[in-house]
Amino acid sequence: MEKVYMLISCDVGEEQSLYSQLKQIPEIKNCLITYGNYDIVAEFVADGTSKINEIITSKIRKLKKIRSTITLRVTD
């Protein structure tokens, strides 16, 4: 299993709504609202590149009000 962090920028004022939506995705293990260039940091785990891509494209980036994302794959 790989750990992945996603930095998310959303529309102004939509942080709490987007946070709630992200928490409903089973693969997301942790989610934090932040201040600065990114509004939310989401942590998820997945087994391999194809599963990571599926979670990002089919579950996270399909949510409304997301403006941009950066994905960080973590290695131990």
Side-chain angles (χ1 to χ4, degrees):
M1 293 292 251
E2 285 189 69
K3 187 181 291 188
V4 180
Y5 290 97
M6 186 168 240
L7 309 176
I8 302 169
S9 291
C10 65
D11 292 347
V12 175
E14 296 297 328
E15 299 86 359
Q16 196 64 45
S17 172
L18 187 57
Y19 171 87
S20 297
Q21 293 175 66
L22 288 164
K23 294 291 279 184
Q24 293 177 12
I25 297 173
E27 293 85 358
I28 292 185
K29 302 302 177 198
N30 197 12
C31 196
L32 302 166
I33 294 176
T34 62
Y35 297 97
N37 291 332
Y38 298 96
D39 302 305
I40 296 174
V41 177
E43 175 189 350
F44 66 92
V45 294
D47 192 18
T49 303
S50 63
K51 187 63 177 172
I52 291 170
N53 289 338
E54 177 187 329
I55 294 166
I56 292 169
T57 59
S58 299
K59 296 185 178 187
I60 297 174
R61 287 190 180 155
K62 295 243 179 195
L63 297 175
K64 296 186 185 304
K65 309 299 183 185
I66 290 179
R67 290 189 319 196
S68 67
T69 62
I70 292 181
T71 304
L72 308 169
R73 293 173 76 169
V74 178
T75 58
D76 290 330

